[in-house]
Amino acid sequence: MYAPQDDTELLAEALREEGPPPGARVLDVGTGSGALALEAARQGAEVTAVDVSRRAVWTARLNAWLTRLPVRIRRGNLFAPVRDRTYDLILANPPYVPAPDAGRGPHGRARAWDAGRDGRLLLDRICRDAPALLRPGGVLLIVHSALSGSDRTLELLRAAGLKASVVRRRWIAFGPVLRSREDWLRRSGLLAPAEDREELVVIRAERPC
């Protein structure tokens, strides 16, 4: 888990623009501190938040209690705790930073950002599983780095029958994690030689009515 950063704010902007009506059923998957879940609750949505990290679940519950906002918070792996429900809006800010293969999956604090050699360890699962949890007319909003392949995300969501497009972009300076593996990213061809900023994207995918 890490404190909300540029990607969280970019997704929050898209959430505010989406403007779910009061009572809309919203799922925040990989909630972390709960910032996006709380933003949806402020808009009057019925919010469920899920995270695999015990610390994230405790933090999100504390933040919900401190703000006195009603958020149902569950611990589990992506959609496992909510497979029996459908939603008007799903929010996702998953780990998406490409990482060298160390012979094992992410562990410790790195689970909040490391996502395999192509950055798609969880992105592909979300693209595969989220459409079935959307009500007709429901929307998925997902944020990730362009390093992780926004075209691939669009391709998978469209193949699942959703209408998908990039609705927000933002260039940001490299953070500590990207700076620490910048050489590896360039050697791997994920980062161009002259590229010195990271592009974040928000993708909106809607299930037809």
Side-chain angles (χ1 to χ4, degrees):
M1 191 190 72
Y2 63 94
Q5 298 181 33
D6 295 272
D7 49 3
T8 303
E9 178 54 33
L10 194 63
L11 189 52
E13 290 174 6
L15 166 61
R16 289 189 286 268
E17 185 173 313
E18 192 68 33
R25 191 178 289 179
V26 175
L27 173 65
D28 180 22
V29 61
T31 193
S33 67
L36 292 165
L38 296 176
E39 180 65 31
R42 287 187 190 96
Q43 298 185 32
E46 176 191 317
V47 185
T48 300
V50 175
D51 205 292
V52 72
S53 163
R54 286 186 176 89
R55 179 173 292 183
V57 168
W58 294 337
T59 301
R61 285 176 177 165
L62 175 60
N63 287 334
W65 179 78
L66 289 172
T67 55
R68 299 186 178 184
L69 288 168
V71 177
R72 182 184 297 108
I73 302 166
R74 299 286 181 263
R75 179 173 179 263
N77 193 332
L78 288 182
F79 303 109
V82 295
R83 288 196 180 280
D84 59 339
R85 306 195 78 193
T86 55
Y87 295 89
D88 300 296
L89 178 63
I90 297 176
L91 305 168
N93 181 3
Y96 54 71
V97 179
D101 185 3
R104 57 180 177 175
H107 61 285
R109 293 182 64 236
R111 289 191 304 173
W113 53 79
D114 279 356
R117 291 188 65 86
D118 60 1
R120 301 198 59 88
L121 186 66
L122 297 183
L123 281 169
D124 285 345
R125 290 175 58 192
I126 292 170
C127 292
R128 181 190 69 217
D129 295 341
L133 275 70
L134 288 174
R135 292 174 167 180
V139 169
L140 167 67
L141 291 174
I142 183 168
V143 64
H144 65 80
S145 172
L147 293 174
S148 308
S150 50
D151 287 345
R152 173 66 174 165
T153 299
L154 292 169
E155 176 187 343
L156 291 173
L157 292 172
R158 289 166 180 167
L162 305 186
K163 181 181 178 181
S165 62
V166 175
V167 293
R168 287 189 178 270
R169 299 179 185 269
R170 180 169 298 165
W171 288 91
I172 62 170
F174 291 160
V177 175
L178 279 189
R179 286 198 302 270
S180 71
R181 60 189 63 162
E182 186 175 344
D183 289 344
W184 174 79
L185 289 166
R186 295 191 196 283
R187 290 196 306 271
S188 301
L190 295 171
L191 196 62
E195 200 169 353
D196 60 359
R197 292 187 301 163
E198 178 187 16
E199 185 185 21
L200 301 177
V201 298
V202 174
I203 291 172
R204 182 186 188 274
E206 182 175 352
R207 180 179 175 182
C209 293

